[in-house]
Structure formats: C-alpha cells, structure tokens
Amino acid sequence: MKTIRYASVVFSTAVFLIMSAGAVYADNTDTRKVIECYESRQEGSPVTRRDIEPGWPNVKCSSTSEGVLWWGDPFDGTIPMGDMPIEADYSRGEAVVRPRIPYIDRNKLYTICTEACHNGQYVPVPESKKPRLLKMHKDIVPNSLDLQHGRGGIWCLDCHNAENRATLVDNFGGEISFNQPQKLCGKCHGPIYRDWRDGIHGKRIGMWDKAGKKRWWVCTECHNPHDVQQGDRNSGFAQLPPEMAPELPKGMPNVDHERLEHGAGH
Amino acid sequence: MSKPKDKDGKNTGTTRRDFLRKAGYAGAAALAGSATLMANTDNPDSQATWAEWFQGNYRLMTDQEKKEAIERLEKRYSAQYGKKVTVDDAPAIDGVLFGYALNIQKCIGCRRCVKACVKENNQSRTNTEIEWIRVIRMEKGQFSLEDMDKGYPAEAGFDHGVQVGGNAYKPAGVVLEGQHYYQPKKVPEKDAFYFPIACMQCEKPPCVKVCPVRTTYRDPDGIVVIDYNWCIGCRMCIGACPYWARRFNWGEPNLPKEEMNPKTHYLGNRPRMKGVAEKCTFCIQRSRRGRYTACVEVCPVGARKFGNLLDPESEVRRILARKRVFRLKADLNTYPKFFYFID
C-alpha cells in the first residue's frame, strides 16, 4: 500500500518535472536562431549573424522582429569614416562607419547601372533637373512626380550626380561617396547635421568616451532618402514590428483586469 | 497519547515522538551534508556554495576576499553554464559620473532596448520573466491641462477630496495598469508616444535609504549597485523606488545555458539566485570598461544617449546644454542621473 503511494508520488513528481521542463523549452522563443537580420531600418541595413569566435557572435538577432538586439563586436565590418569637411567629434578618436556601397550593390547592379546604363550614351545626361515621369526605378520611387522627400522642392539630380551615377553630388558639382551620405544630407538639414556631428542626433555604438573608438550610423542607415516623409505619417522613420510585450503577472488574466473587474478608479 | 488516525480509522504510524526522532535523523543528515560541502569534492558547486554562504558584505571585503569570492563565482558559473564565465570587479573610474539622456520625441516603442538588456544582463527569461526596462505607452493629450482638474473618481459615493488627476477613462498624468503591454503590428502607432523607464541611478536613492542590510549602495560613478549575495530578499527597496525600477527573483531564475552572457560583473549581470532584488546598472560590466550600454547600442532610432556628466564635451552634457530636458518625478528630490529630452 505504502509502496504504491510512494511510487505514485514519485511518478507524478517526475511527470510534473518533465512537463515543466517542456513548458520552459516551449516558452523560450529564442531557440529559433535568426541568421539574417537588420540593424536600424528594415530593408536598408541588413546584417548576417556569424561567430567571431566560438560561442561569440557578431550580432544577436531577435526572433520576433528580426532586428539586431546585441553587438558582440561593435566594429564588425566597418571602415574609417574618411575625411569630413569640418572639425568635429568625429575628428577625435577613431570614427568608423559601415560602408553603404555593399548594400547598394547587393544585387550586383551598382557597377552595371552606373557604367553600362548611365554612361552618357545609352542613357544621355539630362539637360535639366526638372521633374519628369520616370519609367524606370519604380521599385525605389513608385511615382517620380511624387517623391516623398522635400515636398516637391527637390528631385533626383539634386542628390544624385548627373555626370557620375556612382556618386552623389555636393553643392559645387563635386562627387560624394555613397559611404558618406551625411555630407550630402547636411547640405539642407543643417541643424540636424550639427546635432549629428555632436552625437546628439543619430546613433553611435562602441566606446562612450569622447576619445574612444565609435561606429557612427550614417543618415541612410536609419532614414530611407527616397521615402523620408512616410506619406501621412510625416515622420522620418518607418514603422517597425515591436518586440513581445512582457509576461502578465501570475494570476492576471488580461491587461485590463483591474478596470474591468473592479470598476472605474482602479 | 493516542496514535493519530487517518480517515479510515487506521493508525498512520506517526506520533510526535516519531516525528521528532525522524527530524533528528534529518538534522544529522543535514550536518553530514554540510561536511560533504566542506570536503574536497570534485563538484565545484558544492565547494563554492559553502564559502559563498559565509562571505561578508562586498563593500567590507578586503581585496583578497573579493578575489576569492570572484574566483569561487567564476568556477561555479563556468561549471553551471558549461562555458568560461568571467566575473569582473572593475571599480568606479575616477572623474566619471555616468549620465543618461533619452529623447522621448524619437522613441517609437519597439522594445528592442528591453530585449537587448535581457540578452546582456542575464535576466530570468521565462516563468517569472524579468525585464529591467519598461516602455509605457501613452495617448497624446493624456497630459492636457484641462484634464488636470478633473481628478475625482467617477461614480464615487462621496467626495474624498483627493485630487488624482484625470480619471480611469481619461487619465491625466497617471499611468494606469497595462500601459506597457501594448502589442500592435507596427510601432509607432498614431497618436501614441512611448516612455521607457528603468533605474534612474538617483543621487539620493530611496532604495539605498531603506535597505536594512546595506547591500545596495551608490558607487562614486553614480551607479546604484547590489551585492546579490548579501541581499536578504526583504523587497523594501522595491517598495521604496518611485520609478518601478527594481525586480524580484520570486523563483529560481530561468537562464538557458546558450543564452547566458559569459562576460559579467560582480555588481551587475552575473547570474542571480532566487530571492534577490535586481535592476539596471547602466551595464556596469560594459560602462566601466568604456563601452556603451546595450540599450544605447540597440536603439534603432538613436534616442538613447550615454556618457560622462563631468565631461562638458560629452553627448549627455551637450544635450543638457542645448535641449529641453526634464527628469521624472523631480519633485521627489531623488536627483536622477537619467534625463528625458525633446528636440
């Protein structure tokens, strides 16, 4: 009799342990390893997870939003920021950026488009910067007469270099690399550019000390220059899927429990 | 003395004397267990635990004792999590007072800071999930001036004369339950703004004032830290904190081995035990080694800024000089080192 009772206790305990272990495993959403994720803006700052050293990845990705959640090496895949026109925070310490050209060249069309198509002969250099309806590039700008940037004040060739499509254009017709879009954006967005130089606007990762090495985020890593107004939202930043809400406390069936069950005032 | 009987009237065979005798055996067994702990066994867990139970308050330990405590922990954690775990004891850096600034105009409420913090700081993942940052969703107009006078509870039977600001259906300056459980498909939502809160690293921290064993204290670089080993789990600090910043390990923390961050600090993200309080430490294991905190690095909109308040050229000081800044519940005289700002 006793033996049976003990056995049943042991058995039920074992079952309980196995079940709770199973529940723990099922709740742990991060068991799904996401390899391809994005840093700041979706479809604009991709990064691939890989191990820098065994058990130490370059990034950890969220299984919910597929955004980067953690940097194992903040300087992974970066290059020096390069010359900047004005002495500022980036002049001290080491300022590095993740180059934008590999992203622009993700379909291996960067060189083909700039050298084979926009070579001045196949596609002639336009005589004027006046907006006109484009048949091409609808994946980037669906309607070229309704560019979601500058509210009708600017058009493609205010930023893209008409003479050399592999570059952007500065105020004097000079070339700006796609890796340094801040030089271009600063032409118009002066106060934002100033805040960015001082580390108030935008994002930097790495070392907090002013002399420390930092990776600076450049404009196009967060903002989509071809859709910066975001239509009615009128915001520079596109919407993102959020991470999961916290677990409800034990015994709380829903978030409105107090108000629904116990009346107003709670 | 009659023998106790079960509901069928049979003797269950347990008297008080029997019970005491068995308790005696159990006590002897427990002593024997302690002896095993002291003996030289191969199990790092048993060895570390014994000395760990009897170590002193971290602030009163000598350098040698600290070194031994850290070696014990490294050994135990490495065995427990199956990888090389380091426990840092870096002290505060001279001439540094950490400060934090958050742009509430930029925050989109995506909660990536919340999850980055969990990844970095080894919080319990499930079954008492612990998150140090809370992102509160607020409706635009929640703080409108005309609502501030309408504070009386609706349908109240009599007038308590208590001004609470707004009411349950249109709160004004009041955070109601459930405001951090929002889960839309995409953020930011229209007409909502988001307000992340975590430990404010107060200059006059109420949690430190109430701690009866002085296991939580403020270090010279402004970080309020906890020696988890000395914590008795009384939860006074949780009650004292006006910012809802502290969490309690109600159960054994649930931290999967592969998820565990092996770079830890004694006063920061080392794995906690059941029955201790924990909270944000400005990623002490990173910040004292010069690195930005995990939440600063992950924020996709760059709303979070971190730096040295004693350096006039730091990002945080520039924000204080140039932007409109406020501190949460400044009227409580806690002097937080966490600032909110707008462009």
Side-chain angles (χ1 to χ4, degrees), chain A residues 2 5 24 27-28 30-31 33 38-42 55-56 60-62 64-65 67-74 89 92 192 194-195 197-210 214 217 222 233 235 237-250 252 254-260 263-266, chain B residues 6 12 93 96 98 106 108-112 115-116 119-120 125-129 131 134 153-154 168-169 176-178 180-190 254 256 258-263 286-292 294 296-303 305-308 311 313-315 318-319 322-323 341 343:
Chain A
K2 243 181 196 172
R5 199 187 301 155
V24 164
D27 282 350
N28 185 11
D30 281 325
T31 44
K33 284 272 182 289
Y38 65 93
E39 289 187 324
S40 203
R41 99 172 136 97
Q42 274 178 307
W56 194 262
K60 286 183 187 171
C61 305
S62 161
T64 316
S65 68
V68 172
L69 285 184
W70 187 89
W71 273 267
D73 175 12
D89 266 17
R92 318 191 192 97
I192 303 285
R194 185 189 68 165
D195 276 357
R197 283 195 320 239
D198 291 342
I200 297 176
H201 181 99
K203 175 171 171 174
R204 301 188 286 184
I205 68 174
M207 314 306 270
W208 53 260
D209 190 58
K210 68 182 172 212
K214 290 184 180 63
W217 252 247
C222 304
R233 288 190 57 244
S235 159
F237 199 85
Q239 286 178 303
L240 294 178
E243 299 293 327
M244 291 301 288
E247 272 178 11
L248 289 171
K250 273 181 191 154
M252 186 168 156
N254 56 59
V255 291
D256 288 333
H257 175 72
E258 290 282 328
R259 192 163 60 82
L260 295 174
H266 279 271
Chain B
D6 65 9
T12 53
I93 311 164
V96 172
F98 286 120
K106 292 259 157 62
I108 58 169
C110 67
R111 288 205 195 92
R112 265 158 85 173
K115 304 297 174 187
K119 285 240 186 293
E120 171 70 24
R125 296 299 202 273
T126 49
N127 198 6
T128 318
E129 176 190 58
E131 291 174 349
R134 291 233 190 279
Y169 301 106
L176 293 176
E177 64 156 354
H180 59 293
Y181 293 114
Y182 62 90
Q183 191 72 59
K185 286 231 157 43
K186 293 240 175 174
V187 287
E189 298 152 278
K190 199 176 186 311
N254 193 345
E258 68 279 3
E259 286 271 305
M260 194 256 175
N261 175 10
K263 288 189 183 170
R286 288 173 162 233
S287 53
R288 285 196 178 165
R289 296 289 178 196
R291 178 109 179 252
Y292 279 120
V296 167
E297 292 202 341
V298 82
C299 181
V301 294
K305 300 290 164 193
F306 178 75
N308 182 4
D311 174 8
E313 294 197 326
S314 70
E315 294 161 26
R318 283 203 174 116
I319 287 164
R322 212 182 283 170
K323 302 289 180 185
F341 72 102
D343 282 328

